[in-house]
Amino acid sequence: MSSGAGDAGKRPGFMDSLRSAFVPPPLPPDDGKPLVRPTAVTVATALAIVGGAIFVLIGGFSLATNDSQLNQAIAQYNQAITDCTNKFGGIGDSVVVPSGASTDDANQAEQCKSYIVLSDEAISSARSQNLLISAFVVVIGVIAVGAAWFIRSGNRWGRTALAVAVVLSVLLSMLFQVSNLFTLGGSLLMIVAVMLCFIGKGGVFFSRVKSRRAG
C-alpha cells in the first residue's frame, strides 16, 4: 500500500523546522547600493559584547582571587575533618558511627568516610585546575567580544567564532561543571546573538555581504 498521500500531509518535525529556519530566504537582486546593517545584526553585536564581557569579568575575577578562594575552601574542608574527628573519631576507615545514631548523623558519618587528608600535591593540582578553568572562561569571553566586531560588518567568520564560543561555554558547563546564574545568562545572550545572525534579516545580511565580496 502506498503511503505517499499520508507523507505529503505529514507536518514537519521540530528538527526539520529548525533546519529550515536557519536557511536564509532567497537573496534579493543586488542594486549596488551600500548594504545597511539590519537591527537584528546590531542587536546580535550588542548581545555578543555583553555576553562575552560577562565571561571575561567572571574569569578575570576568578584568576585574581584564585588563591583566596582556594584557601577558604581548604579551611572549610579542614574544619569539616575536625568536626568528623570530634564526632566520629576520624575520617575514612577511622569513622565510628555510634549505635542508635540519627539519620542525619549517619549521613554525616558516610560523608566523613569519603574525606582524606589534603596533600600539598592535591592542593597544587587544585590550584592549577582552577587557574586553567578561569583562563578558559576568559578565552570564551574574548572570542565572543572579538566576534562581535566582525558580526557588525557582516563577516561570516564573526558569527562562526561566536558559535564556537557558545559551544565552548556548553562544554565548560558539561565537562567541568562550571555553571552559575551569570555564566548561564552570558551563554543565553550569545545563543540569541548566534540565532539572530543566521535567521531572518540577519541571515540575509550575511549572505548578501558574502555574495558581494565574492563578486
Side-chain angles (χ1 to χ4, degrees), residues 33-34 50 129 138 157 164 171 173 198 204 207:
K33 297 180 180 179
V50 175
Q129 182 177 359
V138 172
W157 290 111
V164 169
L171 291 177
S173 177
F198 278 93
V204 173
S207 297

Side-chain angles (χ1 to χ4, degrees), residues 123-144:
I123 294 174
S124 177
S125 177
R127 178 178 288 106
S128 299
Q129 182 177 359
N130 289 343
L131 288 173
L132 180 62
I133 293 175
S134 298
F136 190 54
V137 173
V138 172
V139 169
I140 293 174
V142 170
I143 292 175

